[in-house]
Amino acid sequence: MARRITIKDNLLESRLFMRRAIAALLGAALLLMALVGRLVYLQVVAHEHYRTLSEHNRIKLEPIPPNRGLIFDRNGVLLAENLPSYRLEVIPEQVADMDTTLQQLGELVEIRPYDLERFEKARRRMHAFEGVPLRLHLSDDEVARFASNRHRFPGIEIRAGLSRHYPLGREAAHVIGYVGRINEQDLQTLDEANYRGTTHTGKVGIEKTYEDVLHGTVGYREVETNAQGRTLRVLERQPPVPGSNLYLTLDARLQQAAEAAFGDYNGSAVAIDPRNGAVLALVSLPNYDPNPFVKGIEYRDYQALQSDPDRPLFNRALRGQYPPGSTLKPFIGLAGLELGVTTSHSHTFCPGYYSLPGQEHKYRDWKRGGHGTVDLLGAISQSCDVYFYDLARSLGIDRMHDFLAQFGFGAKTGIDIVGELGGLLPSSAWKRRTRNEPWFPGETLISGIGQGFNLATPLQLAVATAALGSYGKLYRPHVVRALQPPADGSLQPVHLDPPRQIPIHERHNWETAIDAMIEVVHGRRGTARRIGQGIDYRIAGKTGTAQVFGLAQEEKYDAEKIAKRLHDHALFVAFAPADEPRLAVAVVVENGGSGAAVAAPIARRIFDAYFGEGQADGTD
């Protein structure tokens, strides 16, 4: 079979090659034009935009947190300071075997499970070349042990900084408060820009109320970084502005004496200067040490504080709401005088009980045998319940409410510490509004001796007592006395609202109520006469006892047969010197039993500490 011979068409192949070459050249030309167009866009049209992005990759702003302002008492005693502290940081990319390294570190310094958990969380959100905190607040011994073994731990560094510290520990903890690590809730209210680099913020007390003043203004440094984000050099630095120092009205020496006066009792005491509303002591017991909260209190320790039946974290001075008991009687007596219901010469017979007309129920006096015939002075000095049952019935609940409201009962005082409660001052409208029930005459009687629905905080009692002693000048209590900005170091007194004058038309009515309170302490039959011995000035005061639970009609209170937590609360309010008051005090002793036997002696110790040798004048 003959082979078939194919003759090549060179002309056709040449034409096909040319077409393909031209197509390739056109494609290359189009790609080149697109590339040139893109370069023109990047280099000319979008030059400024990408130049800015490039600078941001090369230059970075790093925040420099400011030093927190210090807190002093009125005499310059340091209450909150910043101490050098050391923390252990790990640079993950420089650690070859993390588990082994952490195990060996644990042999030199204590590393708790809490520390490891926090370290892992921080490690996941930070770059591998950044220092991740492992342990905060190393002790000097731990720093020394690590320093001598530092060669064994590449990638582990000790960083120095400042940490908040409270030199007095538990004392005045409820006033000063504490700082803690910033959490998600804090971030909702804080200025994010000004808190860059800041790890702690005020949580309670003065630390929280004056956070804006204490924190200061963040600074920045402009640093040059490489493509991996590592710092190469510092280009520019704007230093931070430290926070202002605070000088409080608090007297640390008086605060310590007041807390010591309680002994083993729980309760609260507030001491105020009636001339300006300055709080000189504010006690809430039991208290707590705020320093662990700064370092990061362990869960079990916090739970122990939370579950403690004595509630050490609870600020009794501002949030403790107690029946004022007989401490309310001078104010009720003053209401009777001012509203023309009684006079200083009016008398009431006290057989030991009181009954409403047409009723058999007996409202008992604390003294079973009664006080006999008493006037207002005798009723206050001997704390006669029957006199005030009768006076309360004549006044009526709504007139009592309106009069007592002028002294601040039933409302917040406005003190410059967050968290205050307003107590409760009942009225017929209040009961109808909150309980949808009518007001009963018997409720008026027990309201007249500070029981029933009445509730007041120790701070309210102190403010009202100060107003009574100063003939109606009602000041808003305050704890901060002056600010000290970092610029010039001069003290700038805080602005004080002018006092509100309680409108009592007859000065004689003030004098009658005050004279009766003097009789409580210095009278022959005064309920607090024991504390009036051995002093060269006069105290005007009033004892009080507040029931924790109710008694049946014929049941008798026997402290020995009931649990300690069911004992009556003991109260005492007073101011001194009685003629020109410089200090007003309210004392509440939880389950103390007797205001005369327990609360009044505590107040006497506070007065002794204040008027003792070397005591400052106390004015702002």
Side-chain angles (χ1 to χ4, degrees):
M1 184 176 178
R3 297 178 60 189
R4 188 174 178 178
I5 300 174
T6 302
I7 300 176
K8 297 176 64 175
D9 189 340
N10 292 328
L11 180 60
L12 180 62
E13 290 182 356
S14 175
R15 289 176 178 174
L16 181 61
F17 173 79
M18 288 298 295
R19 286 197 294 270
R20 291 176 176 175
I22 292 171
L25 287 172
L26 288 174
L30 290 174
L31 290 174
L32 180 61
M33 290 175 63
L35 178 62
V36 171
R38 182 62 178 169
L39 288 173
V40 170
Y41 174 79
L42 293 176
Q43 297 293 328
V44 179
V45 178
H47 170 74
E48 289 299 325
H49 172 70
Y50 286 101
R51 181 176 180 272
T52 301
L53 291 180
S54 176
E55 285 296 317
H56 285 176
N57 283 336
R58 185 177 69 89
I59 299 174
K60 182 171 63 174
L61 288 178
E62 292 183 347
I64 306 175
N67 292 339
R68 193 172 182 84
L70 308 180
I71 302 177
F72 301 87
D73 87 331
R74 68 183 306 111
N75 299 312
V77 176
L78 192 59
L79 304 178
E81 60 185 339
N82 302 317
L83 295 181
S85 65
Y86 301 93
R87 66 181 183 181
L88 205 61
E89 289 189 356
V90 179
I91 304 176
E93 73 170 7
Q94 298 181 14
V95 179
D97 187 341
M98 184 65 71
D99 292 337
T100 302
T101 299
L102 293 177
Q103 181 181 356
Q104 293 175 349
L105 272 175
E107 298 173 358
L108 296 177
V109 300
E110 180 184 8
I111 301 178
R112 303 162 298 181
Y114 170 77
D115 298 318
L116 292 174
E117 180 182 354
R118 184 178 56 192
F119 170 74
E120 290 299 334
K121 288 181 180 179
R123 181 183 173 189
R124 286 193 292 270
R125 69 173 184 264
M126 299 176 70
H127 296 292
F129 56 81
E130 291 181 310
V132 182
L134 175 61
R135 257 292 309 278
L136 305 176
H137 307 284
L138 295 174
S139 67
D140 292 340
D141 290 340
E142 288 175 324
V143 171
R145 283 199 300 271
F146 176 80
S148 61
N149 290 273
R150 187 175 181 278
H151 62 280
R152 297 169 46 199
F153 299 98
I156 312 296
E157 300 289 343
I158 289 182
R159 304 291 185 189
L162 294 176
S163 177
R164 200 64 156 177
H165 179 256
Y166 304 100
L168 299 187
R170 294 175 176 272
E171 294 173 355
H174 286 285
V175 183
I176 304 167
Y178 58 82
V179 299
R181 294 188 68 84
I182 295 175
N183 55 34
E184 293 296 330
Q185 184 178 357
D186 297 324
L187 292 174
Q188 296 177 5
T189 57
L190 296 177
D191 181 356
E192 184 177 354
N194 195 38
Y195 277 78
R196 290 191 61 191
T198 299
T199 59
H200 288 66
T201 185
K203 297 292 186 177
V204 295
I206 290 297
E207 290 278 28
K208 180 175 179 61
T209 308
Y210 287 85
E211 171 64 29
D212 293 344
V213 175
L214 290 166
H215 177 262
T217 305
V218 68
Y220 291 92
R221 68 172 187 167
E222 193 176 74
V223 298
E224 184 178 5
T225 60
N226 60 15
Q228 288 73 39
R230 293 183 178 85
T231 300
L232 301 177
R233 59 175 176 152
V234 177
L235 301 177
E236 188 176 348
R237 189 176 188 275
Q238 178 181 335
V241 179
S244 297
N245 297 333
L246 296 183
Y247 281 80
L248 307 187
T249 60
L250 210 69
D251 186 322
R253 189 179 67 85
L254 186 64
Q255 177 78 21
Q256 292 168 343
E259 293 190 12
F262 274 78
D264 295 329
Y265 284 107
N266 294 337
S268 175
V270 179
I272 291 180
D273 189 333
R275 298 168 294 181
N276 48 43
V279 177
L280 303 179
L282 193 148
V283 176
S284 178
L285 296 171
N287 47 23
Y288 64 95
D289 186 358
N291 288 301
F293 288 88
V294 180
K295 302 175 182 179
I297 188 170
E298 291 196 34
Y299 178 77
R300 66 173 182 270
D301 295 333
Y302 183 69
Q303 283 298 107
L305 289 172
Q306 288 278 57
S307 59
D308 190 330
D310 289 332
R311 299 187 297 171
L313 297 178
F314 182 65
N315 190 335
R316 287 161 165 80
L318 272 64
R319 299 179 64 81
Q321 300 182 103
Y322 306 89
S326 295
T327 61
L328 208 59
K329 289 176 180 176
F331 302 94
I332 299 296
L334 182 60
L337 294 172
E338 178 64 14
L339 298 176
V341 174
T342 189
T343 69
S344 58
H345 304 294
S346 301
H347 291 78
T348 298
F349 179 71
C350 171
Y353 63 89
Y354 185 85
S355 295
L356 288 167
Q359 295 186 12
E360 296 182 358
H361 182 85
K362 295 181 179 180
Y363 295 86
R364 298 290 182 181
D365 192 282
W366 69 268
K367 189 175 181 180
R368 288 281 173 168
H371 296 84
T373 301
V374 293
D375 58 7
L376 180 59
L377 188 143
I380 291 177
S381 64
Q382 300 175 53
S383 200
C384 175
D385 292 332
V386 169
Y387 183 96
F388 287 95
Y389 288 146
D390 187 61
L391 179 57
R393 187 173 72 89
S394 300
L395 284 167
I397 187 60
D398 292 327
R399 285 205 291 181
M400 284 196 296
H401 169 276
D402 294 344
F403 186 86
L404 293 175
Q406 298 179 98
F407 286 85
F409 289 105
K412 297 179 181 180
T413 65
I415 191 173
D416 51 345
I417 305 178
V418 294
E420 180 188 10
L421 294 180
L424 175 59
L425 184 61
S427 66
S428 59
W430 165 84
K431 192 179 181 189
R432 177 68 69 183
R433 182 178 66 254
T434 59
R435 303 196 174 196
N436 196 27
E437 295 176 352
W439 187 268
F440 298 107
E443 294 171 332
T444 300
L445 302 190
I446 60 176
S447 292
I449 62 169
Q451 298 284 353
F453 297 113
N454 284 291
L455 293 174
T457 66
L459 178 62
Q460 285 177 321
L461 288 173
V463 170
T465 303
L468 182 57
S470 59
Y471 289 79
K473 290 184 178 179
L474 186 68
Y475 286 92
R476 182 175 67 86
H478 60 282
V479 177
V480 173
R481 178 185 183 187
L483 311 180
Q484 187 180 39
D488 55 9
S490 61
L491 293 182
Q492 298 180 359
V494 297
H495 171 73
L496 298 180
D497 297 332
R500 179 168 58 85
Q501 181 64 45
I502 299 173
I504 300 297
H505 299 95
E506 296 292 337
R507 182 178 176 86
H508 176 70
N509 293 338
W510 289 113
E511 294 171 347
T512 299
I514 292 173
D515 287 344
M517 294 177 69
I518 294 173
E519 283 293 304
V520 170
V521 179
H522 301 280
R524 184 173 59 86
R525 303 175 69 181
T527 54
R529 58 188 178 276
R530 292 182 181 177
I531 72 164
Q533 301 174 4
I535 55 176
D536 55 3
Y537 58 91
R538 293 192 302 172
I539 299 174
K542 183 67 190 79
T543 55
T545 302
Q547 289 184 351
V548 176
F549 71 102
L551 294 173
Q553 178 70 59
E554 299 298 332
E555 189 176 1
K556 185 177 181 181
Y557 176 83
D558 189 346
E560 296 181 358
K561 294 182 179 180
I562 60 176
K564 176 69 174 177
R565 292 186 179 277
L566 296 179
H567 287 190
D568 293 342
H569 297 320
L571 298 92
F572 187 71
V573 298
F575 53 86
D579 50 349
E580 294 183 2
R582 291 165 49 197
L583 189 68
V585 174
V587 176
V588 178
V589 183
E590 291 184 354
N591 312 118
S594 167
V598 178
I602 291 175
R604 166 66 191 272
R605 296 186 189 102
I606 295 174
F607 284 123
D608 286 345
Y610 184 75
F611 293 115
E613 185 178 355
Q615 171 61 42
D617 178 68
T619 57
D620 280 346

